[in-house]
Amino acid sequence: MSPVQNFEQHSRHLVEPDLPIQVRLQMVMEVRDSLEIAHTAEYLNFLKCYFRAFSAILLQITKPQFVDNPEHKLRNIVVEILNRLPHSEVLRPFVQDLLKVAMQVLTTDNEENGLICIRIIFDLLRNFRPTLENEVQPFLDFVCKIYQNFKLTVSHFFDNMAMTGEDVKPMETSLSDQGINTTTATGSQLNPSTRSFKIVTESPLVVMFLFQLYSRLVQANIPQLLPLMVAAISIPGPERVPPHLKNNFIELKGAQVKTVSFLTYLLKSYADYIRPHEESICKSIVNLLVTCSDSVSIRKELLISLKHVLGTDFRRGLFPLIDTLLEERVLVGTGRACFETLRPLAYSLLAEIVHHVRQDLSLSQKGRTIEQDILCTEFRAIMEFVKSKIEKVFCSCVVNLK
């Protein structure tokens, strides 16, 4: 595809009202393939010509799509271009408008475009933070909204679709709320950003960054956001997951674990806000250990959150749950990768919990604790043996090579 030669002429043609969608799509692909110009002295001229055109495409010429069609591809490429813009001083005059465009797409579009917009928003707030404090609250309002919708999202994916083998479709309510008609469209379905586990997964990291940057926002938003997050992590999800919903279930648990990580981040600095939810949060952490899939990354993050809780007096909420935590499959999972990777961390955490409640353990609990300790010791011995064997083989290979 040939690079764009005349920015001004090309950008004017791009927003002509009667331009066919396929031609407009082809033109934005040409711009994307010419984006290396943004790393040259022509960057300002590029922005002056194209930023207004891109804004018009996203806010006026096209509408959010919830099926994979050419109009969605057009919007997706434009959002991708905006995400790839270098965050130099040249971009600063456009930052306020770019942030507003990204927020509009995030709150109204599908999850694919929404995920890109979260990255745009995060990078803008990080790189141009002194001037954007007034633009932060709309994002926090959006985060509150997706947590308000969380229970409905879980119900949509699992209650409504558990008995069918069909792919889950976006909620009709989310489309009608936004005034978008998809009855004539064809293609695979796309979830609205307001009903997306992936969007929930990405949001806590941005909120954590914003709270670190603008401490005054904490008191204004924590009272509303915290109960919504606590309610979200307490939702168990389905007891049995049909094969066609396995990915959705993993996304659900990933979103809940990211939320737990955010809540445990708040423990030391904002303990007074967390204290009323101590028991509920501890129960949710243990329930997630019981129900989450055998994903090493998800379970490791959950164990790290458990470690943070144990470092505070909130650990008291875990004491009534010691029987559940003494089960090996709860701490480590059942997958081989989890067993090999997470067992040392899991048992060190269990030892710490037992240390705090050792005076209150029943005889049977003490027996199970000793059994787990023996298993952990045996595991470490085996790993040391394997390690020594590998080192011997390696040394012999080196000698043979010499």
Side-chain angles (χ1 to χ4, degrees):
M1 195 173 295
S2 59
V4 177
Q5 300 296 331
N6 189 320
F7 291 160
E8 187 175 355
Q9 181 180 351
H10 190 270
S11 62
R12 284 202 306 266
H13 183 40
L14 183 60
V15 293
E16 289 179 359
D18 298 327
L19 196 67
I21 188 70
Q22 291 291 354
V23 176
R24 210 185 304 273
L25 176 60
Q26 182 74 15
M27 292 180 69
V28 297
M29 292 172 66
E30 292 172 357
V31 177
R32 182 187 60 187
D33 294 341
S34 304
L35 199 56
E36 68 274 3
I37 199 71
H39 298 277
T40 70
E42 288 294 308
Y43 186 25
L44 180 59
N45 186 37
F46 175 89
L47 289 172
K48 288 180 177 178
C49 292
Y50 282 107
F51 184 78
R52 185 177 298 177
F54 292 153
S55 299
I57 289 174
L58 293 174
L59 304 181
Q60 300 169 15
I61 296 174
T62 65
K63 293 182 179 180
Q65 301 296 304
F66 298 93
V67 288
D68 189 2
N69 58 22
E71 192 164 344
H72 162 67
K73 289 183 172 67
L74 169 63
R75 293 175 63 85
N76 182 253
I77 292 174
V78 171
V79 172
E80 179 188 339
I81 292 171
L82 295 177
N83 183 47
R84 291 171 56 188
L85 294 177
H87 288 185
S88 64
E89 285 301 309
V90 177
L91 184 63
R92 187 176 290 278
F94 302 88
V95 165
Q96 296 272 357
D97 290 334
L98 176 55
L99 191 59
K100 290 176 181 178
V101 170
M103 275 302 308
Q104 178 68 17
V105 175
L106 172 62
T107 55
T108 61
D109 215 310
N110 58 64
E111 71 176 7
E112 185 175 345
N113 290 339
L115 288 170
I116 301 175
C117 285
I118 285 184
R119 292 197 291 271
I120 293 174
I121 292 167
F122 179 75
D123 289 338
L124 290 176
L125 293 174
R126 182 181 59 184
N127 292 302
F128 301 96
R129 51 193 177 209
T131 59
L132 296 177
E133 184 173 358
N134 293 333
E135 308 300 329
V136 170
Q137 190 58 51
F139 178 79
L140 295 175
D141 292 340
F142 170 76
V143 174
C144 287
K145 181 177 181 180
I146 58 177
Y147 277 104
Q148 286 172 341
N149 291 338
F150 197 84
K151 187 174 183 179
L152 291 175
T153 304
V154 174
S155 298
H156 169 68
F157 279 106
F158 300 108
D159 294 348
N160 297 340
M161 300 297 173
M163 302 304 295
T164 71
E166 301 176 356
D167 291 336
V168 179
K169 298 180 180 181
M171 285 184 165
E172 294 179 1
T173 54
S174 62
L175 304 185
S176 61
D177 288 346
Q178 296 166 17
I180 296 165
N181 182 7
T182 62
T183 55
T184 61
T186 59
S188 60
Q189 301 286 334
L190 301 170
N191 294 319
S193 61
T194 53
R195 303 284 169 84
S196 165
F197 296 134
K198 292 180 180 178
I199 295 290
V200 174
T201 300
E202 296 298 322
S203 297
L205 177 63
V206 185
V207 176
M208 186 185 304
F209 171 75
L210 294 175
F211 282 175
Q212 290 173 341
L213 198 61
Y214 306 110
S215 58
R216 71 170 188 84
L217 294 173
V218 175
Q219 293 184 350
N221 290 276
I222 281 290
Q224 180 182 4
L225 182 59
L226 192 59
L228 297 174
M229 287 183 161
V230 171
I233 64 174
S234 68
I235 297 173
E239 293 183 4
R240 295 182 180 180
V241 183
H244 67 285
L245 293 179
K246 184 177 179 180
N247 289 337
N248 299 111
F249 183 76
I250 293 174
E251 290 174 5
L252 163 65
K253 295 303 170 181
Q256 290 178 311
V257 170
K258 285 291 183 183
T259 305
V260 167
S261 296
F262 174 76
L263 293 173
T264 55
Y265 152 77
L266 296 175
L267 285 179
K268 291 186 178 180
S269 300
Y270 307 103
D272 291 340
Y273 292 105
I274 298 289
R275 200 165 303 282
H277 307 284
E278 173 185 318
E279 183 179 346
S280 178
I281 291 174
C282 289
K283 283 183 178 179
S284 294
I285 291 175
V286 175
N287 287 337
L288 283 170
L289 283 169
V290 172
T291 60
C292 80
S293 59
D294 286 325
S295 165
V296 173
S297 59
I298 292 177
R299 295 192 74 91
K300 183 177 181 180
E301 186 166 359
L302 192 52
L303 289 175
I304 291 173
S305 296
L306 180 61
K307 185 176 182 179
H308 290 321
V309 174
L310 290 174
T312 69
D313 59 1
F314 287 90
R315 58 180 171 264
R316 294 171 304 189
L318 296 169
F319 297 164
L321 308 170
I322 186 67
D323 280 327
T324 304
L325 291 172
L326 282 172
E327 297 182 24
E328 184 179 43
R329 66 174 186 83
V330 171
L331 283 173
V332 184
T334 57
R336 182 176 179 180
C338 290
F339 182 85
E340 294 176 350
T341 306
L342 302 178
R343 200 175 183 193
L345 173 60
Y347 278 120
S348 67
L349 294 175
L350 179 59
E352 187 172 349
I353 296 172
V354 170
H355 170 74
H356 291 292
V357 296
R358 61 190 182 278
Q359 301 297 333
D360 301 319
L361 291 177
S362 65
L363 186 61
S364 62
Q365 288 173 333
K366 289 178 180 178
R368 293 172 65 190
T369 302
I370 293 171
E371 179 185 348
Q372 300 287 25
D373 185 56
I374 292 173
L375 289 172
C376 187
T377 302
E378 290 177 349
F379 174 75
R380 288 175 180 170
I382 292 170
M383 293 303 295
E384 287 297 326
F385 175 76
V386 172
K387 181 181 177 182
S388 65
K389 288 294 184 183
I390 292 173
E391 288 175 348
K392 288 180 180 179
V393 172
F394 178 75
C395 292
S396 64
C397 290
V398 171
V399 171
N400 291 336
L401 287 173
K402 291 182 177 179

